[in-house]
Each structure stands twice: as C-alpha cells, then as structure tokens.
Amino acid sequence: MDNELTSLTVIFTEFYYWVCVVLMFLIHVGFCLYEVGVSRRKNMMHTLMKNAMLIPLITVTFYFFGWWLYFAVQNGPGITGGLKAAAWALPWNELMGTHMGGKPYSSSITAGDALAWARINGVFWAAFLIFSWTAGSIISGAGVERIRSSAFWLFAVLAGSITWVVAAAWGWSADGWMVQVLGYHDAYASGVIHAICGGSALAILIHLGPRIGRFRSDGTARNFPPHNTWLVIIGLFLIYTGFWGFYAACNVPIWDIDADSARAFFSATTIYLTPTTLSAITFNFLMSLAGGLMAGYFISKGDPYWTFSGGLAGIITASAGNDLYHPLQAHLIGAFGVVCIYKIHHWVERRFQIDDAVGAVAVHGYAGFIGVVIAGFVLWGYPASPNPEYASVTPWGQLIGAVIMFFVLGFLPCYLLGALLKKLGVLRIPAAIELAGMDHRIEQQELDDALEIVEVEKEEAASMKGAG
Amino acid sequence: MNTSLVESWNGNPADMGPLYPFVGFEVPFFLVCVLFWVGYTVWQMKFERRTYETEEQDLAQGDHLSRNIEYREHS
C-alpha cells in the first residue's frame, strides 16, 4: 500500500464488502419479523429466540471451521485434486485477526498471503457468514411452532457452517470442481444457498410432521393465519432489501479481467471472476422481483402472503443467471418460477401432508432448483470461467448441479441428522406444550408478576384509604 | 510487561504484522472457545429437556391444559 491507487483499490474493496454486510444484516431482521408474524401469539417469543440465537452459534462455528472449509474442499477433495492449503482461514491464524499486512509472525503464511488477506479477510468472511445465517434462517421458518430449539440449532450449524459452505466451495468459487467439470453457473446462489436450504427444510419437515390440527381427516390443509400480517410483509420487504446487498456482495468490485494479456481492463466480476456490472444486476434484480410479484398476485388471486413471497421466489429463480440475462428474460424467468413453485407447493402439501409453515421449501428450494436448471438452457454454451480449460454451461451440467445442491448437500445430511434426533426423542416438542404454546412458561410468569403487582397496588390503595 | 509485538507506532507501517495482543497464543484461545461452544451446546440441550419435562408435568396436573386452551380462546 505504498501508492494511492493501490491503497484506494484495496480500501475501497474492504469498504465495499463492509457496506454489503451491513445491508445484508437486514435479511436476518426480515426473517425474524417474518417468522414471528407467521407464528401464533402463543409461540412468538420462542420463535424469535430460535431464530436470533442461530446468529452466535453459526458465527462461532463458521469462524472455527466454515471459512477454512470454503477454501480447502474446492477440489472435492478427490475429484479435481486434494485438499487445498488455506492457512489464512484457519481460526488460529494471525490473518484471522487485526493485521497490517506486513511481515508475518508465523511461518505458515507468506508475505503475499499477508498482503492479500490482511484487509479483506474479515469483511469477506463476514459476507459469507451472513449467507450462512440466511441458510439457517431459511430452514428455521419451515419447522416453526413445533421444533425444539436445540435440534434446530444443530440443523442450523450443519447447513450454515458445513453443507452450504461445501456447496459454495464446489460450485460458487472460481476453481470449484463443479465449475471445472460441469460448467456450473450460479452467480447469485439460486442453488448454492436456496436449493440447498429448501432441500434441508424438506428433509426436516418429513421427520418433524405437521403442526397439530394442520390437516383435516380428508387430507386438506387448515389455514393457520399469521398473528400479525404487517410483521410478515415488513419482514419480506426487509429481506428484499438485504437480498439487494447480497447481490452486490456476490461480486468482486474491482478486478483486472484482462490480466493474462499485456493490457488491463478493470471491471466488477462474479465470484467466478467472469465480468458483470452492478448496473446489470440491478436491472435484473428488480425485473425478476417484478415478475415474481406479478406472477404471485396472479396465481394466488391477490393473496398477500403468496404475492410477497412470489417477489422473493422470482428473484431466487432468476439469480443463477442474473449476471448475464437481459432484464426482460429475468422478468419472465422470475414469473415462470413462481407459477411453478405455487403449483408444486400445493401438490406436495396435499399429496404428502408436508406442513411448510412459511413456504420455505417452495420459495427457496423449488425456485432455486428450477432457477439453476433454467440457467442451463438460457446460458447454454457460455464459458463458466475465464479459464479456457473449464467446461461451458450446459443444461445437463446445471441439472446435475441442481440435484447435488437440493438432494445431495441439502436433503440428505439433514434427513440423516433428523432421523437421529427423532430416534433420540429430541426433535419435536411434547404435544402438551405444543397445545399450550411454547411461550406458556413465559406467559405464566408474566401473569404471576402482573397479579403480584396488582396485589401490592390493592394493599397500597387500602392503606391510603385508611390513612385518609 | 508488553502483551504486544508493537513497540512503537512510529516505525515503518509496511513492516507491521499482527496488532492484537498475545500473538503466538492463538491455539490455546481457540481451544478455550471450542470448549465454551461445546459446553454451551450440552448445557442448552439439558436445560431445554428439563424445562419441557417440568412444563409437561405442570400441564398434566388437573385441568391445566384445557384451562390454558380455554383462556386463549377467550383472550
């Protein structure tokens, strides 16, 4: 950092991710509001605590091993190579703390590592971390009102600090094996976050079962109205806002995309180091949101829940290719995805009696899966990477990628963990507590406290009357 | 006593590496944090199980559960 241009580039990049991270925090605020709004009044506090406490648990585990995992397993390992060295991401490494980028203290890192990572490690780590929180939050909503917090937090750590990170290493890094071999392209994480977490949520719901009273004897679903529709809608608006920051965080803000030649050309790039612009992704973010909202309103005949969820699902469906699509394509893809997920959600609910309280499997899982597959057709033949030796985008590469995301990394690990927790009897809360409400103890304590105060006030009033 | 590698802020900044205290003791700090996380997780699971057992016993007494549902119906 001995000249102004280098300093400006490095410190701008650091600041860029820092701003994105703060914006992305709104995703979690939105998820908390949304879930609390959807749950019945008797479960509000439990719902809030369940979602809020995933923040520290995923943060600490992502620091312990998640960040290292992202760099270490990009080759599989065993598919395109072995484990990669990533000393700067180990939790005890000096570059995981305050560092000026000068002479390393430890011999495990080079001077080049120190210079490259000292100012970017924390903000880059945080950007990935908030994706991890999002992973936890997506599966949180599905099991609302009956999952034990301790069980949920194990699922949250599994999805947030392990499976989605492995997915990102494989399919959302410049040199991941899925990019190399399959030409996998998923610029804004339709599959890498959303399909995985939708698959995870479906696995958990199979073991968890529906809330008491959710299905009639003929198999049709009863509606559990949200206790506060405003919280639900404001929550979804905040998720949109944070999602916008997420889009920016998925980019590398300044990169020389012509470094192989004697020339230089600086641009924003995707995580694959392929060129895009903030302008392009802003067009596409908003046009796919618009498509999703319109399709959600149309297909649900104006139902507010499905309209706003449709906006989110529209973005998710288009996200895999939103670095390259034309805005009109993003619009149509977003709309198409929402019509599909609405139909699939209701068919699965009727056929298998899956009680997905917030539509997480549909909005994230089905939309993410469909989005990855659509990108395979629309972006057919695009180079997946600047590296000419890597595969190009194809429909079959994307289909295999979607299956890996939804079933292999999403569904399977959570299905196995769910089976274990169910066998141990620590997955679902006792039926009596589900009926009484998960806030039963808190409500009882509040009532006792209020009655005690009333008694004191009565005594005080009587003594005043006596004195008068 | 000096917990830091930094002896002065007036040297060459390009030579500065880690700025945090107790450089070289990162692994013990890591192990303490892992123990804290594991201990917390075990405690939380036991705490939750005990809480639900107590609440279940409470709700099983007399007509506590039906009164709770009726109260909710009228509130």
Short mmCIF file of all heavy atoms in Angstrom, two decimals, chain A residues 320-380:
data_model
loop_
_atom_site.label_atom_id
_atom_site.label_comp_id
_atom_site.label_asym_id
_atom_site.label_seq_id
_atom_site.Cartn_x
_atom_site.Cartn_y
_atom_site.Cartn_z
N ALA A 320 -29.52 -17.46 -10.61
CA ALA A 320 -28.39 -18.23 -11.15
C ALA A 320 -27.76 -17.52 -12.34
O ALA A 320 -26.54 -17.55 -12.51
CB ALA A 320 -28.85 -19.63 -11.54
N GLY A 321 -28.59 -16.87 -13.16
CA GLY A 321 -28.04 -16.24 -14.37
C GLY A 321 -28.21 -14.74 -14.41
O GLY A 321 -28.07 -14.13 -15.48
N ASN A 322 -28.53 -14.11 -13.28
CA ASN A 322 -28.81 -12.67 -13.29
C ASN A 322 -27.58 -11.81 -13.55
O ASN A 322 -27.70 -10.58 -13.66
CB ASN A 322 -29.50 -12.24 -11.99
CG ASN A 322 -30.99 -12.06 -12.18
OD1 ASN A 322 -31.49 -12.10 -13.31
ND2 ASN A 322 -31.72 -11.85 -11.10
N ASP A 323 -26.41 -12.39 -13.67
CA ASP A 323 -25.24 -11.61 -14.08
C ASP A 323 -25.25 -11.40 -15.59
O ASP A 323 -24.62 -10.48 -16.10
CB ASP A 323 -23.95 -12.34 -13.68
CG ASP A 323 -23.88 -13.77 -14.21
OD1 ASP A 323 -24.94 -14.42 -14.28
OD2 ASP A 323 -22.78 -14.22 -14.53
N LEU A 324 -25.97 -12.28 -16.32
CA LEU A 324 -25.88 -12.26 -17.78
C LEU A 324 -27.22 -12.05 -18.48
O LEU A 324 -27.25 -11.61 -19.62
CB LEU A 324 -25.27 -13.59 -18.28
CG LEU A 324 -23.80 -13.82 -17.87
CD1 LEU A 324 -23.39 -15.26 -18.14
CD2 LEU A 324 -22.88 -12.88 -18.63
N TYR A 325 -28.33 -12.40 -17.83
CA TYR A 325 -29.63 -12.29 -18.50
C TYR A 325 -29.91 -10.86 -18.95
O TYR A 325 -29.45 -9.90 -18.34
CB TYR A 325 -30.77 -12.69 -17.55
CG TYR A 325 -30.83 -14.16 -17.14
CD1 TYR A 325 -31.38 -14.52 -15.92
CD2 TYR A 325 -30.35 -15.16 -17.97
CE1 TYR A 325 -31.46 -15.85 -15.52
CE2 TYR A 325 -30.42 -16.49 -17.58
CZ TYR A 325 -30.97 -16.82 -16.36
OH TYR A 325 -31.04 -18.13 -15.97
N HIS A 326 -30.76 -10.75 -19.97
CA HIS A 326 -31.38 -9.47 -20.29
C HIS A 326 -32.49 -9.26 -19.24
O HIS A 326 -33.12 -10.23 -18.82
CB HIS A 326 -31.96 -9.51 -21.71
CG HIS A 326 -32.44 -8.18 -22.19
ND1 HIS A 326 -33.65 -7.65 -21.82
CD2 HIS A 326 -31.84 -7.24 -22.98
CE1 HIS A 326 -33.79 -6.45 -22.37
NE2 HIS A 326 -32.70 -6.18 -23.08
N PRO A 327 -32.75 -8.02 -18.85
CA PRO A 327 -33.79 -7.80 -17.83
C PRO A 327 -35.15 -8.39 -18.21
O PRO A 327 -35.88 -8.86 -17.33
CB PRO A 327 -33.86 -6.28 -17.72
CG PRO A 327 -32.51 -5.81 -18.16
CD PRO A 327 -32.04 -6.78 -19.18
N LEU A 328 -35.49 -8.40 -19.49
CA LEU A 328 -36.78 -8.97 -19.89
C LEU A 328 -36.79 -10.48 -19.67
O LEU A 328 -37.82 -11.07 -19.31
CB LEU A 328 -37.07 -8.64 -21.37
CG LEU A 328 -37.16 -7.13 -21.66
CD1 LEU A 328 -37.27 -6.88 -23.15
CD2 LEU A 328 -38.36 -6.51 -20.94
N GLN A 329 -35.63 -11.10 -19.88
CA GLN A 329 -35.52 -12.54 -19.61
C GLN A 329 -35.64 -12.80 -18.11
O GLN A 329 -36.35 -13.72 -17.68
CB GLN A 329 -34.18 -13.07 -20.12
CG GLN A 329 -34.03 -12.99 -21.63
CD GLN A 329 -32.57 -13.08 -22.09
OE1 GLN A 329 -31.64 -13.05 -21.29
NE2 GLN A 329 -32.38 -13.17 -23.40
N ALA A 330 -34.95 -11.97 -17.32
CA ALA A 330 -35.02 -12.13 -15.85
C ALA A 330 -36.46 -12.00 -15.37
O ALA A 330 -36.92 -12.74 -14.48
CB ALA A 330 -34.13 -11.08 -15.18
N HIS A 331 -37.19 -11.08 -15.97
CA HIS A 331 -38.59 -10.84 -15.61
C HIS A 331 -39.44 -12.09 -15.87
O HIS A 331 -40.19 -12.55 -15.01
CB HIS A 331 -39.09 -9.65 -16.44
CG HIS A 331 -40.49 -9.24 -16.13
ND1 HIS A 331 -40.85 -8.66 -14.94
CD2 HIS A 331 -41.63 -9.31 -16.88
CE1 HIS A 331 -42.15 -8.39 -14.95
NE2 HIS A 331 -42.64 -8.78 -16.11
N LEU A 332 -39.29 -12.65 -17.06
CA LEU A 332 -40.10 -13.80 -17.44
C LEU A 332 -39.69 -15.05 -16.65
O LEU A 332 -40.55 -15.84 -16.23
CB LEU A 332 -39.96 -14.07 -18.95
CG LEU A 332 -40.56 -12.98 -19.85
CD1 LEU A 332 -40.23 -13.25 -21.31
CD2 LEU A 332 -42.07 -12.90 -19.66
N ILE A 333 -38.40 -15.20 -16.44
CA ILE A 333 -37.92 -16.37 -15.67
C ILE A 333 -38.44 -16.29 -14.23
O ILE A 333 -38.91 -17.28 -13.66
CB ILE A 333 -36.37 -16.44 -15.71
CG1 ILE A 333 -35.92 -16.84 -17.11
CG2 ILE A 333 -35.84 -17.43 -14.67
CD1 ILE A 333 -34.42 -16.64 -17.35
N GLY A 334 -38.39 -15.10 -13.65
CA GLY A 334 -38.90 -14.92 -12.28
C GLY A 334 -40.38 -15.27 -12.21
O GLY A 334 -40.83 -15.98 -11.30
N ALA A 335 -41.15 -14.79 -13.18
CA ALA A 335 -42.59 -15.05 -13.18
C ALA A 335 -42.88 -16.55 -13.37
O ALA A 335 -43.71 -17.13 -12.66
CB ALA A 335 -43.25 -14.24 -14.29
N PHE A 336 -42.18 -17.16 -14.31
CA PHE A 336 -42.39 -18.60 -14.59
C PHE A 336 -42.09 -19.44 -13.34
O PHE A 336 -42.85 -20.34 -12.99
CB PHE A 336 -41.48 -19.02 -15.76
CG PHE A 336 -41.52 -20.49 -16.05
CD1 PHE A 336 -42.62 -21.06 -16.67
CD2 PHE A 336 -40.46 -21.32 -15.69
CE1 PHE A 336 -42.66 -22.42 -16.93
CE2 PHE A 336 -40.49 -22.68 -15.95
CZ PHE A 336 -41.60 -23.24 -16.57
N GLY A 337 -41.00 -19.10 -12.68
CA GLY A 337 -40.61 -19.85 -11.48
C GLY A 337 -41.70 -19.81 -10.41
O GLY A 337 -42.00 -20.82 -9.77
N VAL A 338 -42.30 -18.65 -10.24
CA VAL A 338 -43.31 -18.51 -9.17
C VAL A 338 -44.56 -19.33 -9.48
O VAL A 338 -45.13 -19.97 -8.58
CB VAL A 338 -43.65 -17.01 -8.97
CG1 VAL A 338 -44.84 -16.83 -8.05
CG2 VAL A 338 -42.43 -16.29 -8.40
N VAL A 339 -44.97 -19.36 -10.73
CA VAL A 339 -46.14 -20.17 -11.10
C VAL A 339 -45.83 -21.65 -10.79
O VAL A 339 -46.65 -22.37 -10.21
CB VAL A 339 -46.49 -19.98 -12.60
CG1 VAL A 339 -47.59 -20.96 -13.02
CG2 VAL A 339 -46.95 -18.54 -12.84
N CYS A 340 -44.63 -22.07 -11.16
CA CYS A 340 -44.25 -23.48 -10.92
C CYS A 340 -44.25 -23.81 -9.42
O CYS A 340 -44.82 -24.82 -9.00
CB CYS A 340 -42.85 -23.77 -11.47
SG CYS A 340 -42.73 -23.67 -13.24
N ILE A 341 -43.60 -22.96 -8.63
CA ILE A 341 -43.45 -23.32 -7.20
C ILE A 341 -44.80 -23.30 -6.48
O ILE A 341 -45.03 -24.08 -5.57
CB ILE A 341 -42.44 -22.42 -6.47
CG1 ILE A 341 -42.91 -20.98 -6.37
CG2 ILE A 341 -41.07 -22.51 -7.10
CD1 ILE A 341 -42.40 -20.25 -5.17
N TYR A 342 -45.69 -22.41 -6.89
CA TYR A 342 -47.01 -22.34 -6.26
C TYR A 342 -47.75 -23.66 -6.49
O TYR A 342 -48.34 -24.23 -5.56
CB TYR A 342 -47.80 -21.17 -6.87
CG TYR A 342 -49.15 -20.94 -6.26
CD1 TYR A 342 -49.30 -20.16 -5.11
CD2 TYR A 342 -50.30 -21.51 -6.82
CE1 TYR A 342 -50.55 -19.94 -4.56
CE2 TYR A 342 -51.55 -21.30 -6.28
CZ TYR A 342 -51.67 -20.52 -5.14
OH TYR A 342 -52.91 -20.32 -4.58
N LYS A 343 -47.69 -24.13 -7.73
CA LYS A 343 -48.39 -25.38 -8.06
C LYS A 343 -47.74 -26.57 -7.33
O LYS A 343 -48.43 -27.41 -6.77
CB LYS A 343 -48.33 -25.63 -9.58
CG LYS A 343 -49.07 -24.60 -10.40
CD LYS A 343 -50.56 -24.83 -10.30
CE LYS A 343 -51.35 -23.87 -11.18
NZ LYS A 343 -52.79 -23.91 -10.90
N ILE A 344 -46.40 -26.62 -7.36
CA ILE A 344 -45.71 -27.76 -6.72
C ILE A 344 -45.96 -27.75 -5.21
O ILE A 344 -46.21 -28.79 -4.60
CB ILE A 344 -44.18 -27.70 -7.00
CG1 ILE A 344 -43.91 -27.79 -8.50
CG2 ILE A 344 -43.45 -28.85 -6.29
CD1 ILE A 344 -42.45 -27.51 -8.87
N HIS A 345 -45.90 -26.57 -4.60
CA HIS A 345 -46.10 -26.46 -3.14
C HIS A 345 -47.45 -27.07 -2.74
O HIS A 345 -47.52 -27.86 -1.81
CB HIS A 345 -46.03 -25.00 -2.71
CG HIS A 345 -46.46 -24.77 -1.29
ND1 HIS A 345 -45.63 -24.99 -0.21
CD2 HIS A 345 -47.66 -24.37 -0.76
CE1 HIS A 345 -46.28 -24.73 0.91
NE2 HIS A 345 -47.51 -24.35 0.61
N HIS A 346 -48.49 -26.67 -3.43
CA HIS A 346 -49.83 -27.13 -3.03
C HIS A 346 -50.03 -28.62 -3.35
O HIS A 346 -50.72 -29.32 -2.60
CB HIS A 346 -50.91 -26.26 -3.68
CG HIS A 346 -51.00 -24.91 -3.02
ND1 HIS A 346 -50.35 -23.79 -3.51
CD2 HIS A 346 -51.58 -24.52 -1.86
CE1 HIS A 346 -50.57 -22.77 -2.70
NE2 HIS A 346 -51.31 -23.17 -1.69
N TRP A 347 -49.40 -29.09 -4.41
CA TRP A 347 -49.50 -30.52 -4.72
C TRP A 347 -48.79 -31.34 -3.64
O TRP A 347 -49.34 -32.32 -3.13
CB TRP A 347 -48.88 -30.79 -6.11
CG TRP A 347 -48.96 -32.24 -6.46
CD1 TRP A 347 -50.05 -32.92 -6.91
CD2 TRP A 347 -47.90 -33.20 -6.35
NE1 TRP A 347 -49.74 -34.25 -7.10
CE2 TRP A 347 -48.42 -34.45 -6.77
CE3 TRP A 347 -46.56 -33.13 -5.95
CZ2 TRP A 347 -47.65 -35.61 -6.79
CZ3 TRP A 347 -45.80 -34.29 -5.99
CH2 TRP A 347 -46.35 -35.51 -6.40
N VAL A 348 -47.58 -30.92 -3.28
CA VAL A 348 -46.81 -31.65 -2.25
C VAL A 348 -47.54 -31.60 -0.91
O VAL A 348 -47.62 -32.60 -0.19
CB VAL A 348 -45.38 -31.08 -2.12
CG1 VAL A 348 -44.66 -31.63 -0.89
CG2 VAL A 348 -44.57 -31.36 -3.37
N GLU A 349 -48.10 -30.44 -0.58
CA GLU A 349 -48.82 -30.29 0.70
C GLU A 349 -49.99 -31.27 0.77
O GLU A 349 -50.20 -31.96 1.77
CB GLU A 349 -49.31 -28.85 0.84
CG GLU A 349 -49.96 -28.55 2.18
CD GLU A 349 -50.41 -27.11 2.27
OE1 GLU A 349 -51.41 -26.75 1.60
OE2 GLU A 349 -49.76 -26.34 2.99
N ARG A 350 -50.77 -31.33 -0.31
CA ARG A 350 -51.94 -32.23 -0.34
C ARG A 350 -51.52 -33.70 -0.37
O ARG A 350 -52.04 -34.53 0.34
CB ARG A 350 -52.80 -31.95 -1.59
CG ARG A 350 -53.79 -30.82 -1.43
CD ARG A 350 -54.80 -30.85 -2.58
NE ARG A 350 -54.19 -30.92 -3.89
CZ ARG A 350 -53.79 -29.86 -4.59
NH1 ARG A 350 -53.95 -28.66 -4.08
NH2 ARG A 350 -53.24 -30.00 -5.78
N ARG A 351 -50.55 -34.00 -1.24
CA ARG A 351 -50.18 -35.39 -1.50
C ARG A 351 -49.45 -36.02 -0.31
O ARG A 351 -49.68 -37.15 0.05
CB ARG A 351 -49.31 -35.42 -2.76
CG ARG A 351 -48.77 -36.78 -3.17
CD ARG A 351 -49.86 -37.66 -3.76
NE ARG A 351 -49.34 -38.96 -4.16
CZ ARG A 351 -49.07 -39.96 -3.34
NH1 ARG A 351 -49.26 -39.79 -2.06
NH2 ARG A 351 -48.60 -41.10 -3.79
N PHE A 352 -48.51 -35.25 0.29
CA PHE A 352 -47.66 -35.82 1.34
C PHE A 352 -47.91 -35.22 2.72
O PHE A 352 -47.23 -35.57 3.68
CB PHE A 352 -46.18 -35.63 0.97
CG PHE A 352 -45.81 -36.28 -0.33
CD1 PHE A 352 -45.65 -35.53 -1.48
CD2 PHE A 352 -45.63 -37.65 -0.41
CE1 PHE A 352 -45.31 -36.12 -2.69
CE2 PHE A 352 -45.29 -38.26 -1.61
CZ PHE A 352 -45.14 -37.49 -2.76
N GLN A 353 -48.85 -34.31 2.83
CA GLN A 353 -49.17 -33.64 4.10
C GLN A 353 -47.91 -33.04 4.74
O GLN A 353 -47.63 -33.26 5.92
CB GLN A 353 -49.87 -34.61 5.05
CG GLN A 353 -51.14 -35.20 4.42
CD GLN A 353 -52.22 -35.49 5.42
OE1 GLN A 353 -51.93 -35.86 6.55
NE2 GLN A 353 -53.46 -35.30 5.02
N ILE A 354 -47.17 -32.31 3.94
CA ILE A 354 -45.99 -31.59 4.43
C ILE A 354 -46.45 -30.21 4.90
O ILE A 354 -47.02 -29.44 4.12
CB ILE A 354 -44.93 -31.44 3.31
CG1 ILE A 354 -44.42 -32.80 2.84
CG2 ILE A 354 -43.79 -30.53 3.76
CD1 ILE A 354 -43.56 -33.53 3.84
N ASP A 355 -46.21 -29.92 6.17
CA ASP A 355 -46.64 -28.64 6.74
C ASP A 355 -45.47 -27.66 6.72
O ASP A 355 -44.71 -27.56 7.68
CB ASP A 355 -47.15 -28.86 8.17
CG ASP A 355 -47.58 -27.57 8.84
OD1 ASP A 355 -47.73 -26.56 8.13
OD2 ASP A 355 -47.78 -27.59 10.07
N ASP A 356 -45.34 -26.94 5.63
CA ASP A 356 -44.26 -25.95 5.48
C ASP A 356 -44.86 -24.59 5.82
O ASP A 356 -45.44 -23.92 4.96
CB ASP A 356 -43.75 -26.01 4.03
CG ASP A 356 -42.59 -25.07 3.80
OD1 ASP A 356 -42.15 -24.41 4.75
OD2 ASP A 356 -42.12 -25.00 2.65
N ALA A 357 -44.71 -24.19 7.09
CA ALA A 357 -45.44 -23.03 7.61
C ALA A 357 -45.16 -21.74 6.85
O ALA A 357 -46.03 -20.87 6.76
CB ALA A 357 -45.09 -22.84 9.10
N VAL A 358 -43.96 -21.59 6.31
CA VAL A 358 -43.63 -20.33 5.63
C VAL A 358 -43.36 -20.53 4.14
O VAL A 358 -42.92 -19.60 3.46
CB VAL A 358 -42.40 -19.66 6.29
CG1 VAL A 358 -42.69 -19.27 7.72
CG2 VAL A 358 -41.19 -20.59 6.22
N GLY A 359 -43.60 -21.72 3.64
CA GLY A 359 -43.34 -21.98 2.23
C GLY A 359 -41.86 -21.98 1.89
O GLY A 359 -41.46 -21.70 0.75
N ALA A 360 -41.01 -22.34 2.86
CA ALA A 360 -39.55 -22.27 2.65
C ALA A 360 -39.09 -23.25 1.57
O ALA A 360 -38.22 -22.91 0.75
CB ALA A 360 -38.81 -22.58 3.95
N VAL A 361 -39.68 -24.44 1.56
CA VAL A 361 -39.25 -25.44 0.58
C VAL A 361 -39.57 -24.93 -0.83
O VAL A 361 -38.78 -25.06 -1.76
CB VAL A 361 -39.92 -26.80 0.83
CG1 VAL A 361 -39.44 -27.84 -0.16
CG2 VAL A 361 -39.64 -27.28 2.26
N ALA A 362 -40.75 -24.31 -0.96
CA ALA A 362 -41.16 -23.82 -2.28
C ALA A 362 -40.36 -22.59 -2.69
O ALA A 362 -39.72 -22.56 -3.75
CB ALA A 362 -42.66 -23.48 -2.24
N VAL A 363 -40.38 -21.56 -1.84
CA VAL A 363 -39.80 -20.27 -2.21
C VAL A 363 -38.29 -20.38 -2.41
O VAL A 363 -37.72 -19.73 -3.30
CB VAL A 363 -40.15 -19.21 -1.14
CG1 VAL A 363 -39.38 -17.91 -1.38
CG2 VAL A 363 -41.64 -18.95 -1.12
N HIS A 364 -37.63 -21.19 -1.58
CA HIS A 364 -36.17 -21.31 -1.70
C HIS A 364 -35.77 -22.58 -2.46
O HIS A 364 -34.96 -22.51 -3.37
CB HIS A 364 -35.54 -21.30 -0.31
CG HIS A 364 -35.81 -20.03 0.43
ND1 HIS A 364 -35.07 -18.89 0.25
CD2 HIS A 364 -36.79 -19.70 1.32
CE1 HIS A 364 -35.56 -17.92 1.00
NE2 HIS A 364 -36.60 -18.38 1.66
N GLY A 365 -36.35 -23.71 -2.07
CA GLY A 365 -35.90 -24.98 -2.64
C GLY A 365 -36.31 -25.18 -4.08
O GLY A 365 -35.47 -25.36 -4.96
N TYR A 366 -37.64 -25.14 -4.34
CA TYR A 366 -38.09 -25.39 -5.71
C TYR A 366 -37.64 -24.25 -6.64
O TYR A 366 -37.21 -24.50 -7.77
CB TYR A 366 -39.62 -25.54 -5.78
CG TYR A 366 -40.20 -26.57 -4.83
CD1 TYR A 366 -41.49 -26.43 -4.31
CD2 TYR A 366 -39.47 -27.71 -4.47
CE1 TYR A 366 -42.03 -27.36 -3.45
CE2 TYR A 366 -40.01 -28.64 -3.60
CZ TYR A 366 -41.29 -28.46 -3.09
OH TYR A 366 -41.82 -29.38 -2.22
N ALA A 367 -37.75 -23.02 -6.15
CA ALA A 367 -37.36 -21.87 -7.00
C ALA A 367 -35.87 -21.94 -7.32
O ALA A 367 -35.45 -21.68 -8.46
CB ALA A 367 -37.70 -20.56 -6.31
N GLY A 368 -35.06 -22.29 -6.31
CA GLY A 368 -33.62 -22.38 -6.54
C GLY A 368 -33.28 -23.48 -7.53
O GLY A 368 -32.48 -23.30 -8.45
N PHE A 369 -33.91 -24.63 -7.35
CA PHE A 369 -33.67 -25.78 -8.25
C PHE A 369 -34.04 -25.41 -9.69
O PHE A 369 -33.25 -25.60 -10.63
CB PHE A 369 -34.50 -26.98 -7.77
CG PHE A 369 -34.21 -28.27 -8.48
CD1 PHE A 369 -33.39 -29.23 -7.92
CD2 PHE A 369 -34.76 -28.52 -9.74
CE1 PHE A 369 -33.12 -30.42 -8.59
CE2 PHE A 369 -34.49 -29.70 -10.41
CZ PHE A 369 -33.67 -30.66 -9.83
N ILE A 370 -35.26 -24.88 -9.84
CA ILE A 370 -35.75 -24.52 -11.18
C ILE A 370 -34.83 -23.45 -11.80
O ILE A 370 -34.51 -23.51 -12.99
CB ILE A 370 -37.21 -24.02 -11.09
CG1 ILE A 370 -38.14 -25.19 -10.71
CG2 ILE A 370 -37.67 -23.38 -12.40
CD1 ILE A 370 -39.53 -24.75 -10.28
N GLY A 371 -34.40 -22.49 -10.98
CA GLY A 371 -33.55 -21.41 -11.49
C GLY A 371 -32.23 -21.91 -12.03
O GLY A 371 -31.75 -21.44 -13.07
N VAL A 372 -31.63 -22.88 -11.35
CA VAL A 372 -30.35 -23.44 -11.80
C VAL A 372 -30.55 -24.16 -13.14
O VAL A 372 -29.75 -24.02 -14.07
CB VAL A 372 -29.78 -24.41 -10.72
CG1 VAL A 372 -28.61 -25.20 -11.28
CG2 VAL A 372 -29.34 -23.63 -9.49
N VAL A 373 -31.65 -24.93 -13.24
CA VAL A 373 -31.91 -25.69 -14.47
C VAL A 373 -32.19 -24.72 -15.64
O VAL A 373 -31.65 -24.89 -16.75
CB VAL A 373 -33.09 -26.67 -14.26
CG1 VAL A 373 -33.44 -27.36 -15.57
CG2 VAL A 373 -32.72 -27.71 -13.20
N ILE A 374 -33.01 -23.70 -15.40
CA ILE A 374 -33.33 -22.74 -16.47
C ILE A 374 -32.05 -22.08 -16.99
O ILE A 374 -31.87 -21.91 -18.21
CB ILE A 374 -34.32 -21.66 -15.96
CG1 ILE A 374 -35.71 -22.28 -15.75
CG2 ILE A 374 -34.41 -20.50 -16.94
CD1 ILE A 374 -36.72 -21.34 -15.11
N ALA A 375 -31.13 -21.74 -16.07
CA ALA A 375 -29.88 -21.10 -16.49
C ALA A 375 -29.10 -22.00 -17.45
O ALA A 375 -28.41 -21.50 -18.36
CB ALA A 375 -29.03 -20.76 -15.27
N GLY A 376 -29.23 -23.29 -17.29
CA GLY A 376 -28.54 -24.23 -18.18
C GLY A 376 -29.00 -24.12 -19.63
O GLY A 376 -28.21 -24.28 -20.56
N PHE A 377 -30.29 -23.84 -19.81
CA PHE A 377 -30.82 -23.68 -21.18
C PHE A 377 -30.54 -22.28 -21.72
O PHE A 377 -30.08 -22.13 -22.85
CB PHE A 377 -32.34 -23.96 -21.18
CG PHE A 377 -32.66 -25.42 -21.00
CD1 PHE A 377 -32.96 -25.93 -19.75
CD2 PHE A 377 -32.64 -26.29 -22.08
CE1 PHE A 377 -33.25 -27.28 -19.57
CE2 PHE A 377 -32.92 -27.64 -21.93
CZ PHE A 377 -33.22 -28.15 -20.67
N VAL A 378 -30.82 -21.27 -20.89
CA VAL A 378 -30.71 -19.89 -21.39
C VAL A 378 -29.24 -19.49 -21.59
O VAL A 378 -28.93 -18.73 -22.51
CB VAL A 378 -31.43 -18.91 -20.42
CG1 VAL A 378 -31.35 -17.48 -20.92
CG2 VAL A 378 -32.89 -19.32 -20.23
N LEU A 379 -28.35 -20.02 -20.77
CA LEU A 379 -26.92 -19.65 -20.88
C LEU A 379 -26.09 -20.78 -21.53
O LEU A 379 -24.87 -20.82 -21.36
CB LEU A 379 -26.35 -19.31 -19.49
CG LEU A 379 -27.06 -18.20 -18.71
CD1 LEU A 379 -26.39 -17.98 -17.36
CD2 LEU A 379 -27.08 -16.90 -19.50
N TRP A 380 -26.75 -21.65 -22.23
CA TRP A 380 -26.11 -22.81 -22.88
C TRP A 380 -24.92 -22.35 -23.73
O TRP A 380 -25.07 -21.51 -24.60
CB TRP A 380 -27.14 -23.52 -23.75
CG TRP A 380 -26.80 -24.92 -24.17
CD1 TRP A 380 -25.58 -25.50 -24.23
CD2 TRP A 380 -27.74 -25.92 -24.60
NE1 TRP A 380 -25.68 -26.80 -24.64
CE2 TRP A 380 -27.00 -27.09 -24.89
CE3 TRP A 380 -29.12 -25.95 -24.76
CZ2 TRP A 380 -27.61 -28.26 -25.34
CZ3 TRP A 380 -29.73 -27.12 -25.21
CH2 TRP A 380 -28.97 -28.26 -25.49
#
